[in-house]
Amino acid sequence: MLDETGGKVTASIRRLTEADLPEGEVLVKVEYSTLNYKDGMILGGLGRLVRKYPHVPGVDFAGTVEASSSAEFKPGDKVILTGWRVGETHWGGYGAKARVKAEWLVPLPAGLSTRQAMAVGTAGFTAMLAVMALEDHGLRTTDEGEVLVTGAAGGLGSVAVLLLSRLGYRVAASTGRESLGDYLRSLGATSIVDRAEVGAPPPKPLLSERWAAAVDSVGGATLANTVASLRMRGAVASCGNAGGVEFNMTVLPFLLRGASILGIDSVMCPKPRRILAWKRLAELLPLDRLDALTTEIRLAELPEMGARILKGDVKGRVVVDPNR
């Protein structure tokens, strides 16, 4: 539970009743949640993402339906929730139970456990949406050039590297942590790119053609540099702003190379697209590798881990067990 006093947000663990939960059609026993960059911001009281306190954060959860007034779900169904501003404007997954709208839930796909679904979480779900957007744009494994993944050692980046390599693409993984090169290669990266190489503003409007496409979770100067280095008719799936929200460059890559920026919105993504993305995740992800890049924590560890994820000091994915 988060409280705000004098502009400072503090976290504590409290015992509530079902009557304390917000309104909704489906009551879910939460088995696992996860920690995303946005969760770190909310835990730190940053960005005014939460406007009303006290508040239960956690933008994702997976669990079992206990009660439902919707014909779409019945007790015993396994479900996933990501997005819809749950954990921001509606109480989220950092509790033993959650009550939400039925339209926000999707069935747990065959082949995934609730823990594995949260090892994917919003970060991995967004990575899948980014890959799907690049495929819809025309990306193929026969294209020249590597596919760049920025912020590759983070949760979104790690899953993006895993998915792209699984699909047969040559993946360049960008990170500022040299020690994680072996980790990224174990996920399927074919080359490691120092963050400094792609993180500076482009010195000129067009750089040498390098990337067939990119998944960018950093934004800012990194996004501008990446766009300036795209090959003809290449595209960047833009899905994060850890490096800033400003985007400064010329229109020349768009006019002379047909470059595209594909915006990835995982929060309000339509339900049919969500179901398709989760189906593909269940089919594509090698679960042994997913388990290997996942760390599990208790509720009490969230404030510390939330601060670490904002500093870029978390590797892979973090699963939260709200019942511990």
Side-chain angles (χ1 to χ4, degrees), residues 187-251:
L187 300 181
T190 50
S191 65
I192 309 299
V193 178
D194 191 294
R195 179 170 58 200
E197 191 177 336
V198 296
K204 52 186 179 179
L206 290 173
L207 302 178
S208 297
E209 294 184 53
R210 189 171 183 183
W211 315 119
V215 175
D216 174 53
S217 62
V218 178
T222 299
L223 177 58
N225 190 298
T226 301
V227 172
S229 303
L230 286 174
R231 301 181 71 87
M232 288 294 294
R233 288 172 290 281
V236 179
S238 174
C239 44
N241 60 355
V245 298
E246 298 294 331
F247 178 65
N248 298 310
M249 67 175 308
T250 75
V251 299

Side-chain angles (χ1 to χ4, degrees), residues 256-288:
L256 301 181
R257 289 187 184 162
S260 297
I261 298 177
L262 311 175
I264 308 302
D265 167 35
S266 63
V267 175
M268 307 303 288
C269 177
K271 193 163 185 173
R273 186 79 166 174
R274 289 175 182 271
I275 292 171
L276 176 59
W278 279 107
K279 179 177 182 292
R280 292 200 64 194
L281 282 161
E283 293 169 349
L284 285 172
L285 281 176
L287 297 183
D288 56 340

